[in-house]
């Protein structure tokens, strides 16, 4: 059984906008307008159809050139972030040899990842 003790001095919650990959097959206008990358072969045609704004022409351009558009476009989405100052103390039982190896390795390679781009942490080991 692990004994986990959070020692948190500050917690901040905030929302930020990020780009999410998205695809709606029924929305040619959204897809065409949302993706900055298309094949060079249809750029002029895309610009012309976008200026006219005709939904049927947009759908036809999209349907006839599916391979020349990316599979996904980006759409701005809100994402909640949590920033914490502090630490988590976790008591674990390990043998002396593993403890020595970990102490040696974190001196040059202390890259620990918790599952997202903001989830990098520093480790410290101490005997109790």
């Amino acid at each position: 059984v692990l004994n986990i003790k959070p020692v948190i001095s500050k917690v901040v919650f905030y929302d930020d906008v990020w780009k999410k990959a998205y695809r709606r097959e029924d929305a040619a206008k959204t897809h065409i307008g949302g993706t900055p990358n298309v094949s060079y072969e249809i750029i002029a045609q895309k610009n012309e159809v976008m200026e006219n704004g005709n939904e049927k022409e947009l759908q036809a351009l999209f349907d006839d050139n599916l391979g020349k558009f990316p599979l996904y476009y980006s759409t701005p989405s809100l994402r909640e972030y949590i920033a914490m100052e502090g630490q988590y103390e976790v008591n674990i039982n390990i043998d002396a040899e593993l403890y020595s190896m970990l102490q040696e390795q974190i001196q040059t390679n202390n890259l620990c990842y918790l599952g997202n781009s903001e989830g990098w942490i520093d480790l410290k080991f101490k005997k109790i």
Side-chain angles (χ1 to χ4, degrees), residues 22-35:
Y22 198 63
R23 179 177 177 92
R24 286 177 38 192
E25 293 182 25
D26 65 330
K29 180 178 182 180
T30 306
H31 195 96
I32 291 173
T35 182

Side-chain angles (χ1 to χ4, degrees), residues 9-68:
S9 59
K10 182 178 180 181
V11 178
V12 176
F13 297 89
Y14 63 95
D15 290 333
D16 200 3
V17 178
W18 64 292
K19 285 184 168 184
K20 176 173 69 172
Y22 198 63
R23 179 177 177 92
R24 286 177 38 192
E25 293 182 25
D26 65 330
K29 180 178 182 180
T30 306
H31 195 96
I32 291 173
T35 182
N37 303 308
V38 297
S39 173
Y40 72 93
E41 301 165 321
I42 62 166
I43 290 175
Q45 187 180 2
K46 173 196 166 198
N47 290 341
E48 182 180 324
V49 172
M50 289 293 291
E51 284 178 23
N52 296 339
N54 182 320
E55 294 271 338
K56 288 182 182 179
E57 285 183 50
L58 283 171
Q59 190 66 50
L61 174 68
F62 186 63
D63 291 342
D64 295 343
N65 297 284
L66 280 177
K68 296 177 182 174

Side-chain angles (χ1 to χ4, degrees), residues 29 44 50 57 67 69 75 82-83 86 113:
K29 180 178 182 180
M50 289 293 291
E57 285 183 50
F69 287 94
T75 185
I82 302 171
Y113 179 64

